[in-house]
Amino acid sequence: MSPRQVILLILSVLTTVVVALALFGSWQQPQIQSRLDLAQTNLSLQAAEWEPPPEWDMNGLPGGLIGEDVYETAIAQYRDALNSVRRTLEDNQEQRLLLSDSPVNSLPELNQLDGAIRQAQDLKSTLELRLGILLAESDRPEEAFSLWRNLLETSDNITDNAQSGTAAILIDLSNQSPPVSDNAEAILTNTLSGWFRYRALSQLYQVQQEDDALAALAANEQEIAQKTFVRLVILVLISGVTLLLGTILLLFLLGQWFLKGETAILAQNKGEAWDLDWGWETIVQVIIVGFFLVFFIGQALSAGIILPLFYELANLESDLDSSRWQAISIFLSYLLSAAAALGVLYRSLTPYFPLREDWFRFRLLPGLSWGFGGYIAAVPLVLGISLLNQEIWDGKGGSNPILEIALEGQDWVAITCFFLTASVLAPVFEELIFRGFLLPSLTRYLPVWGAILLSSLIFAVAHLSVSEVLPLATLGIVLGITYTRSRSLLAAMLMHGLWNSGTLVSLIILGGGAT
């Protein structure tokens, strides 16, 4: 073997170990999906408070759209989420104890576990507060008191102190007693959000007999509830229509393939491999060195050193914790690291220029039709796999941090940066790497269907969240089929961009439930 081959093999082994450790570490982190489900529940709670004008004939639309018993549905979902978080917390605490008692322990692993434990504890306290308010509103005060008292007894950090103070106020209010705290209103406003904040403040104003404040709160709640109802309708329409169209399209394509065989739409170019002049060394160099090393190290350097230094020189360090600057940092670090990784791709292929005509092709009409069609068809497939995946991982397995920041933030500068990152940069960069280069390169060693499967798996693993491997691999398979059938990289980029854009739109709508 040549020195280059030996170095590439060593780098491949090291990268595999690092990726495996990252996937294992992500198993300790919560999924975003459980938070999305709760965010939609919060929307439903707010929308259910809307009282349409008497002259509007809604034909029971709020109840039919939101559910006949929104409180019971919310209680069940919050119970499930709380039980899942408690199990995660117990698992992490047990693992932390075993690791600390081990003669060979890793400080980074301990720090990672400590961070996961704190995150789970904070989420547990938040869920206990909210579930208690739901139970109190459903005439189950004893169950609510039990949750709030447990929170008071187990609080042991600054965040818990704020939440335990809220729990103490809620206990007083449920007993129809004025809260001991002089700044109860401020505590409730800062600790709670959305429907839960309105319910707590309403109880506070009733106990304190502040009729004007109560009336103003009720008017504001109606305004927010109406806007939230509109958000919920839009969300249901988007997801419902897309799911229906995707199911119809899938049935049509599969039926046509069964009836027409080799002349069906899905059979186009299905077995046609690419012609290439390079071997496995170039493939490994681009994927391992270019993507896993240059891209991820570039992101780490950009986010950890280059951008903070620039912000400090520009006197922007006071804003670095805001969602706006987090979004800007993510966009810039992704742009810099993606450019570096594409530089490795370009340099690796330079000896083979000019490339054959079927490489990195952008065909407009096939690209548009297959891009839109692939997105629609992917919705029911990925949704079905995601539901199964949720049962497998029980709310654990990690998620893309961009999703959490986008869900929490409503800053339009941040949203714009997220859109540029997720819907423009990521589709262009990732499709050039995984569909434009990797998939065709693998057809030298595998049949086209095998290249689609393997490139999809690598694409999914590259996101470093174990809970996202199955859904992203499914998405990657549809992307691979879309590209191999259309022979247009535009199709894969368009489909990828539409998918990420749809996710962001849903997050923006769901994020409005925390008003």
Side-chain angles (χ1 to χ4, degrees):
M1 296 180 69
S2 67
R4 178 194 177 203
Q5 291 175 330
V6 172
I7 292 172
L8 287 174
L9 285 175
I10 293 173
L11 289 176
S12 298
V13 172
L14 292 176
T15 302
T16 301
V17 172
V18 171
V19 170
L21 291 174
L23 289 173
F24 178 77
S26 71
W27 178 76
Q28 302 163 2
Q29 304 299 320
Q31 289 183 34
I32 186 67
Q33 184 58 48
S34 58
R35 292 191 58 193
L36 295 181
D37 294 339
L38 293 181
Q40 185 162 353
T41 297
N42 297 342
L43 278 182
S44 299
L45 287 168
Q46 280 193 328
E49 298 297 325
W50 182 44
E51 298 176 1
E55 62 271 17
W56 289 20
D57 183 11
M58 302 297 289
N59 293 320
L61 183 58
L65 179 67
I66 299 169
E68 292 301 326
D69 198 337
V70 65
Y71 288 158
E72 288 303 316
T73 301
I75 287 172
Q77 289 184 332
Y78 268 91
R79 280 196 196 280
D80 289 343
L82 180 58
N83 290 334
S84 176
V85 170
R86 284 172 173 170
R87 289 194 296 271
T88 300
L89 181 59
E90 290 174 1
D91 291 344
N92 288 343
Q93 288 172 332
E94 290 178 4
Q95 190 174 353
R96 174 66 168 80
L97 184 61
L98 290 173
L99 191 61
S100 61
D101 290 340
S102 172
V104 181
N105 56 58
S106 168
L107 184 59
E109 285 186 70
L110 288 173
N111 291 337
Q112 187 178 40
L113 273 172
D114 287 339
I117 289 171
R118 285 193 298 270
Q119 187 178 11
Q121 287 173 333
D122 292 344
L123 182 56
K124 171 178 166 289
S125 298
T126 298
L127 294 175
E128 287 174 340
L129 278 179
R130 293 184 175 186
L131 180 56
I133 294 174
L134 281 166
L135 291 168
E137 285 292 316
S138 300
D139 295 325
R140 304 184 203 174
E142 290 305 319
E143 294 181 62
F145 290 163
S146 176
L147 285 170
W148 294 333
R149 290 190 187 107
N150 177 70
L151 200 159
L152 285 170
E153 293 169 359
T154 57
S155 61
D156 58 3
N157 57 52
I158 294 175
T159 303
D160 277 350
N161 287 339
Q163 291 170 326
S164 63
T166 303
I169 294 171
L170 291 173
I171 291 174
D172 290 337
L173 293 177
S174 294
N175 288 323
Q176 298 297 313
S177 303
V180 176
S181 176
D182 294 331
N183 56 343
E185 182 178 6
I187 293 175
L188 295 176
T189 301
N190 292 331
T191 309
L192 301 173
S193 62
W195 178 87
F196 302 94
R197 179 193 294 161
Y198 283 111
R199 297 278 61 78
L201 289 177
S202 176
Q203 188 72 12
L204 174 67
Y205 296 149
Q206 289 180 42
V207 170
Q208 294 180 339
Q209 297 182 349
E210 299 181 30
D211 295 336
D212 292 342
L214 184 61
L217 179 70
N220 182 255
E221 183 179 30
Q222 280 300 299
E223 181 181 351
I224 296 297
Q226 182 178 358
K227 293 179 180 178
T228 304
F229 181 78
V230 174
R231 285 175 178 266
L232 189 61
V233 170
I234 293 173
L235 185 64
V236 170
L237 285 176
I238 291 175
S239 58
V241 170
T242 308
L243 180 61
L244 177 62
L245 291 176
T247 303
I248 294 173
L249 179 59
L250 275 178
L251 292 175
F252 168 75
L253 291 174
L254 292 175
Q256 192 206 36
W257 195 15
F258 177 77
L259 294 173
K260 293 191 173 183
E262 297 301 316
T263 61
I265 295 174
L266 284 178
Q268 294 180 15
N269 306 315
K270 71 170 187 176
E272 294 186 19
W274 276 257
D275 294 323
L276 61 153
D277 301 316
W278 53 85
W280 67 267
E281 299 97 329
T282 301
I283 300 174
V284 171
Q285 181 171 301
V286 171
I287 300 302
I288 298 298
V289 178
F291 185 82
F292 282 101
L293 296 182
V294 172
F295 178 72
F296 284 115
I297 292 175
Q299 277 196 309
L301 288 175
S302 298
I305 299 176
I306 299 174
L307 293 177
L309 179 60
F310 170 76
Y311 293 151
E312 183 177 355
L313 293 175
N315 295 320
L316 297 173
E317 64 273 10
S318 60
D319 297 318
L320 293 185
D321 290 333
S322 68
S323 61
R324 172 175 297 189
W325 286 105
Q326 284 180 309
I328 292 174
S329 297
I330 289 171
F331 169 73
L332 292 177
S333 63
Y334 196 102
L335 178 63
L336 293 173
S337 53
L342 290 177
V344 174
L345 172 63
Y346 178 82
R347 182 65 185 85
S348 300
L349 297 183
T350 299
Y352 308 102
F353 285 174
L355 299 177
R356 301 175 190 269
E357 64 175 10
D358 57 343
W359 281 87
F360 302 105
R361 295 176 67 185
F362 288 80
R363 301 167 63 202
L364 182 60
L365 291 182
L368 293 176
S369 59
W370 278 93
F372 280 106
Y375 166 68
I376 296 297
V379 171
L381 290 174
V382 179
L383 178 61
I385 293 296
S386 296
L387 293 175
L388 174 63
N389 196 61
Q390 192 69 356
E391 295 298 320
I392 293 174
W393 295 107
D394 192 25
K396 295 186 292 186
S399 297
N400 191 327
I402 290 181
L403 301 180
E404 297 188 37
I405 301 172
L407 179 63
E408 295 173 355
Q410 293 295 302
D411 182 285
W412 283 101
V413 173
I415 290 172
T416 301
C417 288
F418 286 137
F419 174 80
L420 291 174
T421 304
S423 303
V424 179
L425 289 182
V428 171
F429 169 62
E430 292 179 11
E431 293 314 308
L432 281 171
I433 294 292
F434 292 105
R435 254 63 60 178
F437 171 78
L438 178 60
L439 191 161
S441 296
L442 290 175
T443 60
R444 177 168 184 166
Y445 304 97
L446 298 169
V448 173
W449 64 265
I452 291 174
L453 291 179
L454 182 55
S455 62
S456 300
L457 180 60
I458 296 173
F459 165 73
V461 168
H463 288 76
L464 303 182
S465 293
V466 68
S467 71
E468 295 183 335
V469 169
L470 281 178
L472 286 177
T474 304
L475 180 64
I477 290 171
V478 181
L479 283 165
I481 293 173
T482 296
Y483 178 50
T484 56
R485 274 39 173 189
S486 67
R487 294 290 167 150
S488 174
L489 201 52
L490 175 63
M493 290 179 178
L494 177 60
M495 177 189 157
H496 197 153
L498 288 172
W499 183 270
N500 288 356
S501 297
T503 301
L504 281 179
V505 169
S506 298
L507 289 172
I508 293 168
I509 293 174
L510 289 172
T515 304

